[in-house]
Amino acid sequence: MSQKKPFITLAQARAIAAEIPTPFHLYDEAGIRENARKVNAAFSWNKGFKEYFAVKATPNPYILKILQEEGCGVDCSSYTELLMSEACGFTGSDIMFSSNETPVQDMQKAYELGAYINLDDLTHVDFLKEVAGIPKTVCCRYNPGGVFELGNGIMDNPGDAKYGMSEEQMAEAYTRLMALGAEEFGIHSFLASNTVTDDYYPKLAGILFELAVRLHKRTGAKIKFINLSGGVGIAYRPDQRSNDIAAIGEGVRKKFEEILVPAGMGDVAIFTEMGRFMLAPYGALVTTAIHEKHIYKEYIGVDACAANLMRPAMYGSYHHITVLGKEDALCDHKYDVVGGLCENNDKFAIDRMLPKIDKGDILFIHDAGAHGFAMGYNYNGKLRSAEVLLKPDGTFQKIRRAETPADYFATFDFTPFFKKII
Ligand SMILES: *Cc1c(COP(=O)(O)O)cnc(C)c1O
């Protein structure tokens, strides 16, 4: 079993916690950069390649700036994500706008920024024309329907998914968009989430490349890019294998040579829109054990809760936990590691074998860098934590302060009472 290693030591965690109390989310800048470089290298065979980081996974401008320096764009799905991206200096073709059930304001903002707009439905052709205008390049999202299966048992159900349009509708959308002045087109699809196999992107690429050839022949549309979207997973469990991004890039290249090049479409750019793969392993939730409880089971109560990281409560997801300073100790105690919400699913780990945990121990909850802080909420009046960046030189920087009660009450305006108590 491979051991998951935290990217900080106990001494580093203590130094940060002395200034920024736990719980906090911590990100590893060196890890983020190294991984982004591997992604770009894996697809360097494709001239127009660009990774558009899915902002929803880790919406923090400091993180976006790091990825921008590594050559990434951003994938936005809402007005505020567009505003954050604009503030970071992303414009025009640096931005993919992949939304669904899109409000007017969001669509207008995407158009104003010159983003690549990804239409989720045929009816959005008219919607886009009416509320904003038809850009020179437009992308359409594809849903093949049915069941999507990969060799190793991974399956997803596009037929049940609300996203995208059928091939018939894609063809009609392109034809109508061309009549309205669009000149170049993108194809986008997201068929399976958190896949831990090097086959997902190549298989998806095969489907989309063949679709691109058919759509081009049928409508005459010029296909400018194909966006493989997100869905590349990570090894949350220590015994899982990690995706090999170089092998994934090579698998996509083979399909490209097989399908697009012979069709005279070797100039198509490949885009990706990964969130999880870009950030999840390079972020952690750092929390302190504040209580222990011995009833029918053994509990360790920590100062973080599901409001800081909801994946275990929401999906039953596994997040590995390391007790800092006890990395090499025997895991001979069985614990439920729990947060303080009045919800019995607020458990970061259930029946987990860990070293003996004492009050004051600092726990490192792995792989919280994507869909972690981002999915936070304020249930039970819990406040969002700080976010901290660990820099390559070992120093740290607070990149978002923790919420205070004043933030929690900020949207009330019915009595001066709140102003007095905070
Ligand atoms: C969520 C999402 C992504 C990112 O997915 P990951 O699994 O985090 O890589 C990319 N594109 C779209 C449209 C999404 O909704």
Side-chain angles (χ1 to χ4, degrees):
M1 202 151 113
S2 69
Q3 196 51 47
K4 271 186 178 282
K5 235 176 97 57
F7 54 79
I8 46 163
T9 62
L10 174 60
Q12 280 176 301
R14 285 212 176 114
I16 300 170
E19 257 180 59
I20 304 162
T22 60
F24 54 80
H25 280 266
L26 181 69
Y27 303 95
D28 171 23
E29 180 175 344
I32 295 169
R33 286 188 187 278
E34 190 189 328
N35 181 63
R37 285 171 199 178
K38 282 186 189 157
V39 168
N40 282 326
F43 288 91
S44 58
W45 54 267
N46 182 260
K47 208 167 132 262
F49 175 76
K50 198 170 179 81
E51 150 69 10
Y52 290 82
F53 176 66
V55 174
K56 75 163 192 257
T58 322
N60 185 305
Y62 291 87
I63 301 291
L64 299 188
K65 285 304 265 185
I66 292 170
L67 291 168
Q68 186 179 47
E69 285 170 16
E70 297 301 334
C72 300
V74 280
D75 160 41
C76 300
S77 60
S78 67
Y79 184 68
T80 46
E81 289 179 0
L82 286 167
L83 290 179
M84 186 184 291
S85 301
E86 183 183 23
C88 290
F90 294 96
T91 54
S93 59
D94 302 334
I95 307 173
M96 272 298 305
F97 184 60
S98 291
S99 65
N100 66 95
E101 316 319 327
T102 315
V104 169
Q105 184 189 38
D106 301 31
M107 195 61 107
Q108 289 172 338
K109 185 71 189 169
Y111 179 80
E112 175 199 317
L113 290 174
Y116 286 138
I117 294 172
N118 185 20
L119 298 182
D120 187 57
D121 189 56
L122 178 55
T123 58
H124 292 199
V125 173
D126 286 337
F127 175 59
L128 177 63
K129 175 172 74 97
E130 279 156 26
V131 305
I134 303 294
K136 184 168 158 268
T137 308
V138 185
C139 184
C140 290
R141 182 164 182 168
Y142 174 58
N143 181 335
V147 174
F148 177 75
E149 246 174 300
L150 286 161
N152 58 357
I154 294 182
M155 236 177 70
D156 227 308
N157 220 339
D160 264 351
K162 65 175 177 172
Y163 310 106
M165 43 186 127
S166 69
E167 181 165 347
E168 281 302 306
Q169 292 173 324
M170 295 278 289
E172 193 178 335
Y174 283 4
T175 304
R176 285 168 62 179
L177 284 161
M178 280 188 287
L180 294 168
E183 293 168 16
E184 297 180 311
F185 296 88
I187 296 177
H188 170 286
S189 194
F190 190 154
L191 298 186
S193 202
N194 192 25
T195 56
V196 188
T197 160
D198 297 340
D199 299 335
Y200 170 61
Y201 262 3
K203 169 125 192 206
L204 172 66
I207 293 170
L208 298 186
F209 294 169
E210 280 169 3
L211 173 71
V213 174
R214 288 197 302 273
L215 285 172
H216 172 65
K217 282 195 181 141
R218 185 166 160 186
T219 66
K222 162 132 188 62
I223 310 295
K224 183 186 174 80
F225 64 81
I226 292 175
N227 186 336
L228 302 175
S229 187
V232 179
I234 62 143
Y236 284 99
R237 293 177 180 273
D239 56 351
Q240 266 179 313
R241 70 175 286 281
S242 297
N243 279 328
D244 176 352
I245 196 67
I248 291 173
E250 180 55 20
V252 174
R253 189 190 66 77
K254 282 204 183 102
K255 295 283 181 189
F256 192 92
E257 299 290 336
E258 245 171 66
I259 302 166
L260 286 180
V261 173
M265 295 168 70
D267 60 344
V268 169
I270 303 300
F271 294 169
T272 56
E273 244 174 28
M274 294 181 280
R276 195 185 312 275
F277 189 80
M278 301 304 290
L279 248 300
Y282 316 108
L285 175 58
V286 180
T287 181
T288 303
I290 54 172
H291 290 286
E292 56 183 274
K293 174 162 178 169
H294 316 277
I295 46 170
Y296 311 104
K297 297 181 83 173
E298 298 292 298
Y299 293 94
I300 293 295
V302 294
D303 58 5
C305 66
N308 303 112
L309 175 65
M310 86 186 301
R311 297 187 71 258
M314 188 171 180
Y315 312 116
S317 311
Y318 181 95
H319 278 263
H320 198 66
I321 296 177
T322 299
V323 184
L324 293 177
K326 298 183 178 176
E327 287 83 352
D328 299 322
L330 207 60
C331 291
D332 56 357
H333 283 62
K334 191 192 271 186
Y335 291 117
D336 282 13
V337 178
V338 302
L341 290 188
C342 304
E343 282 276 356
N344 197 38
N345 65 359
D346 185 9
K347 295 174 179 172
F348 291 116
I350 297 172
D351 295 333
R352 183 79 55 91
M353 294 309 293
L354 290 164
K356 180 174 185 310
I357 297 176
D358 299 298
K359 272 194 273 183
D361 277 350
I362 301 181
L363 276 56
F364 183 97
I365 304 182
H366 292 251
D367 302 318
H371 312 293
F373 182 98
M375 291 172 84
Y377 54 106
N378 282 123
Y379 191 54
N380 263 182
K382 296 289 184 182
L383 303 174
R384 287 182 176 78
S385 79
E387 291 181 287
V388 183
L389 182 67
L390 179 69
K391 305 223 186 171
D393 66 3
T395 60
F396 63 91
Q397 180 188 1
K398 188 178 354 178
I399 57 172
R400 185 192 314 239
R401 67 163 172 81
E403 278 181 348
T404 66
D407 297 314
Y408 183 80
F409 294 121
T411 45
F412 293 114
D413 191 23
F414 67 96
T415 158
F417 173 77
F418 288 117
K419 297 220 159 59
K420 261 186 263 153
I421 57 165
I422 51 181

